[in-house]
Amino acid sequence: MAKLFINEKNKKGRIKAEIYGHFAEHLGRCIYEGLYVGEDSEIPNVNGMRKDVVDALKEMQIPLLRWPGGCFADEYHWKDGIGPKETRKKMINTHWGGVVEDNSFGTHEFFELCEQLGCKTYVNGNVGSGTVQEMSEWVEYMTFDGVSPMADLRKQNGREKAWKVDYFGVGNENWGCGGSMTPEYYANLYRRFQTYVRQYNADKPIKKICGGANVADYFWTEDVLKTCFAPPHPDFAHGYMDGLSLHYYVHPEGWEIKGSATEFDDKVWYKTLAKAKYMEELVERHGAIMDQYDPDKKIGMIVDEWGCWFSVEPGTNPGFLYQQSTMRDALVAGVTLDIFNKHCDRVQMACIAQMINVLQSVVLTEGEKMVLTPTYHVFHMYKHHQDADLVESFVEGNKTIGVGEEYQVPLLSESVSVDKEGYVNITINNLSVSENVPVEVAFAELTPSEIEASVLTQEMRAHNTFEDPEKVKEEELTDFVVEDRKIKFTAPACSVVSFRVR
Ligand code: AHR
């Protein structure tokens, strides 16, 4: 029997909703087909956005969307994607699959989508192949309400009022696809480019995100902060940055091989989960460097790309990064979200990569068909953590499991929050492929009277297909017992369980 102790009175910090953010790049079938089918499509849509997909994402409570890349961002020239669609430039998406990008999804379409989703906006600018002028004009086009060349151009293109840009990324992976820069070089460019991300609206400031490290490149974090970290100052109220990014993907068999998304054994299961758990070390070690500059944690760690990256589905375009999503992905999502929740003092945003039809997606589409992946269900089960307060929790007697010594993981992973309505939200992952685990949840003071619970469980390789779209789905959990301040239940092998209790 594992014992989960919860001190619901000991609040440890706010879990920002943005931790549950998503990422959509002009890559494969993420934007085109996945989200945007155009007004003339036979697939039901509202102003070109797929209705089924938008409805599903709203139901999952998507809080934020990052766009247009990724590597694509540092090749994107925003003026190609405005104005009448017939006259928009066509180009080759050289990064991703060498297909024609017709720019029919651009700035106006992105904000239309976010309005339909009711989510915050995170726009990523181009440092790698763009200019300061181009970036500054984009910010003016999107956010300036007065008289100016860019505000006038926006109005000519049919949008009177400025939009709200919640976050703006100054480049992406500038150590790699975003320009192969050294940290010193990028840091100096960052200082220059961010100067022209003007704050036109004092009441709606844009949060500026500085491009951070790849995985364990702690030197990058150190070097960039050394040059760019600036405390709040009367002339630049927010300093030079509001956040520093971090990218980490789980490749069970390494970057070169990656491995199948659906064919794997127990050993690879534990290897994958151990690599997902490594996120904790990354957050803590990059966080320790950030603490040296920013002990009050004023800037956020922005994990704006994370998730599983496997080999593409056989027969699909290798440049489209289309992969299936199994119960293994569900557990990777649960474990990672628990890590973010528990480090919410520093992690202020995270975006799983990517939202639809690319890498660890929550939605897959094929023509007019749509399936929700196991990862979707995890985000749905975790949604009540958004903007709730993390509270103290720990599992007593949590043994480690795995295959061999190298890839050991804890049997259970959990995080607990209390939301504005006073509900205690508990999420628990059982990482074992074979062991059902009896769990006793003990509250410090609460005697539960209202309880809702759900479970996601199947064998480790199970996934949803267009032929069998509901093989893995969230189901109500009714098999639990309440005794005073305790709830007892069994977490099935390979499962994610959530409780909402008051
Ligand atoms: O998400 C796919 C790619 O991974 C992104 O374009 C890039 O930023 C990262 O390397």
Side-chain angles (χ1 to χ4, degrees):
M1 162 90 66
K3 291 192 177 173
L4 168 57
F5 289 99
I6 297 174
N7 183 352
E8 66 279 7
K9 295 284 167 200
N10 186 3
K11 295 187 175 169
K12 303 184 84 74
R14 181 65 44 92
I15 298 171
K16 285 195 77 169
E18 283 90 325
I19 284 179
Y20 291 81
H22 290 257
F23 170 36
E25 179 167 11
H26 288 239
L27 194 179
R29 297 185 300 113
C30 185
I31 300 279
Y32 301 111
E33 290 184 42
L35 276 166
Y36 181 73
V37 288
E39 294 85 340
D40 301 331
S41 172
E42 283 177 5
I43 298 174
N45 69 83
V46 177
N47 298 329
M49 313 297 158
R50 281 184 78 127
K51 211 177 153 331
D52 53 353
V53 169
V54 167
D55 288 348
L57 295 170
K58 280 168 76 174
E59 171 58 31
M60 188 192 71
Q61 209 173 296
I62 179 171
L64 166 130
L65 183 59
R66 175 177 182 238
W67 171 84
C71 295
F72 185 81
D74 279 287
E75 276 195 298
Y76 184 59
H77 300 287
W78 67 273
K79 284 187 184 163
D80 296 346
I82 55 169
K85 294 206 174 159
E86 325 71 78
T87 59
R88 293 191 192 176
K89 273 190 199 160
K90 294 194 173 44
M91 60 193 260
I92 300 295
N93 189 334
T94 48
H95 257 297
W96 304 118
V99 290
V100 173
E101 161 66 61
D102 70 1
N103 280 301
S104 54
F105 188 98
T107 304
H108 291 249
E109 289 74 22
F110 171 67
F111 285 100
E112 164 70 25
L113 173 63
C114 291
E115 269 165 27
Q116 289 189 24
L117 293 171
C119 73
K120 290 193 174 167
T121 57
Y122 178 8
V123 175
N124 213 115
N126 178 350
V127 171
S129 70
T131 62
V132 175
Q133 180 178 358
E134 183 183 17
M135 187 179 280
S136 104
E137 286 186 341
W138 198 10
V139 172
E140 181 186 325
Y141 187 88
M142 292 185 287
T143 62
F144 187 53
D145 251 332
V147 178
S148 84
M150 291 304 114
D152 291 350
L153 184 58
R154 185 191 68 235
K155 290 173 194 167
Q156 270 169 36
N157 287 331
R159 172 75 188 196
E160 192 60 30
K161 265 180 63 56
W163 294 288
K164 177 151 175 6
V165 174
D166 294 291
Y167 296 88
F168 191 87
V170 181
N172 168 72
E173 294 196 352
N174 299 92
W175 37 262
C177 64
S180 309
M181 300 175 193
T182 62
E184 296 79 8
Y185 182 67
Y186 171 71
N188 283 308
L189 277 188
Y190 176 82
R191 284 176 67 126
R192 178 164 163 240
F193 273 67
Q194 67 79 33
T195 309
Y196 302 95
V197 177
R198 297 283 188 214
Q199 303 287 1
Y200 291 109
N201 309 296
D203 56 330
K204 294 187 238 164
I206 301 170
K207 292 198 163 145
K208 292 182 280 194
I209 309 302
C210 178
N214 185 31
V215 195
D217 186 352
Y218 302 111
F219 295 110
W220 180 280
T221 299
E222 174 74 51
D223 279 1
V224 166
L225 283 174
K226 191 164 61 194
T227 304
C228 297
F229 181 72
H233 179 281
D235 294 339
F236 38 87
H238 297 274
Y240 292 152
M241 68 171 80
D242 298 281
L244 179 65
S245 69
L246 168 67
H247 288 184
Y248 172 54
Y249 287 98
V250 171
H251 306 289
E253 304 293 5
W255 168 252
E256 292 298 330
I257 301 175
K258 299 193 180 75
S260 164
T262 50
E263 298 299 319
F264 54 88
D265 58 15
D266 292 15
K267 189 168 169 207
V268 178
W269 162 273
Y270 289 114
K271 204 171 176 180
T272 311
L273 291 177
K275 290 192 173 191
K277 259 311 248 183
Y278 178 55
M279 178 67 89
E280 187 149 46
E281 179 176 332
L282 293 174
V283 167
E284 288 175 359
R285 290 188 63 183
H286 285 288
I289 299 168
M290 292 173 82
D291 286 349
Q292 287 168 23
Y293 291 86
D294 176 33
D296 300 332
K297 297 185 169 44
K298 290 205 164 103
I299 63 171
M301 186 182 292
I302 307 292
V303 192
D304 53 14
E305 288 186 33
W306 68 273
C308 291
W309 190 325
F310 302 122
S311 304
V312 297
E313 286 304 299
T316 63
N317 185 331
F320 279 16
L321 310 186
Y322 176 70
Q323 66 190 40
Q324 253 294 354
S325 186
T326 64
M327 277 306 295
R328 176 174 57 159
D329 296 76
L331 271 291
V332 167
V335 162
T336 308
L337 292 171
D338 285 338
I339 293 169
F340 294 154
N341 285 348
K342 290 202 165 185
H343 292 80
C344 63
D345 57 340
R346 181 58 87 183
V347 180
Q348 292 190 9
M349 187 215 289
C351 305
I352 190 169
Q354 299 192 6
M355 193 159 71
I356 301 172
N357 294 332
V358 172
L359 302 178
Q360 191 175 346
S361 305
V362 288
V363 171
L364 302 176
T365 65
E366 191 179 270
E368 75 213 338
K369 295 191 215 146
M370 174 189 88
V371 294
L372 306 177
T373 67
T375 302
Y376 173 96
H377 293 292
V378 174
F379 272 80
H380 190 262
M381 292 166 81
Y382 272 65
K383 71 181 182 183
H384 296 294
H385 286 309
Q386 292 186 28
D387 280 331
D389 288 315
L390 177 77
V391 295
E392 183 184 0
S393 66
F394 68 95
V395 180
E396 190 183 78
N398 197 7
K399 61 181 183 185
T400 53
I401 51 165
V403 175
E405 281 180 13
E406 203 182 346
Y407 297 113
Q408 291 285 320
V409 290
L411 175 61
L412 299 177
S413 155
E414 43 53 55
S415 58
V416 184
S417 66
V418 174
D419 63 30
K420 292 187 188 79
E421 294 159 78
Y423 285 98
V424 180
N425 303 300
I426 307 162
T427 45
I428 305 168
N429 298 271
N430 179 352
L431 279 62
S432 170
V433 280
S434 52
E435 186 182 340
N436 299 330
V437 181
V439 182
E440 181 183 281
V441 180
F443 298 94
E445 290 181 14
L446 177 75
T447 304
S449 56
E450 277 177 58
I451 304 178
E452 279 169 29
S454 62
V455 59
L456 184 76
T457 187
Q458 269 290 349
E459 65 90 18
M460 65 181 177
R461 285 175 292 256
H463 54 278
N464 293 332
T465 62
F466 296 100
E467 294 70 44
D468 190 1
E470 301 216 332
K471 187 170 177 63
V472 185
K473 64 172 199 262
E474 181 184 348
E475 291 185 277
E476 191 184 353
L477 176 75
T478 48
D479 199 5
F480 55 81
V481 176
V482 182
E483 284 171 12
D484 303 321
R485 296 194 312 272
K486 294 188 177 127
I487 302 174
K488 293 180 182 171
F489 73 102
T490 295
C494 182
S495 71
V496 182
V497 177
S498 76
F499 278 92
R500 189 159 156 78
V501 180
R502 200 155 64 165

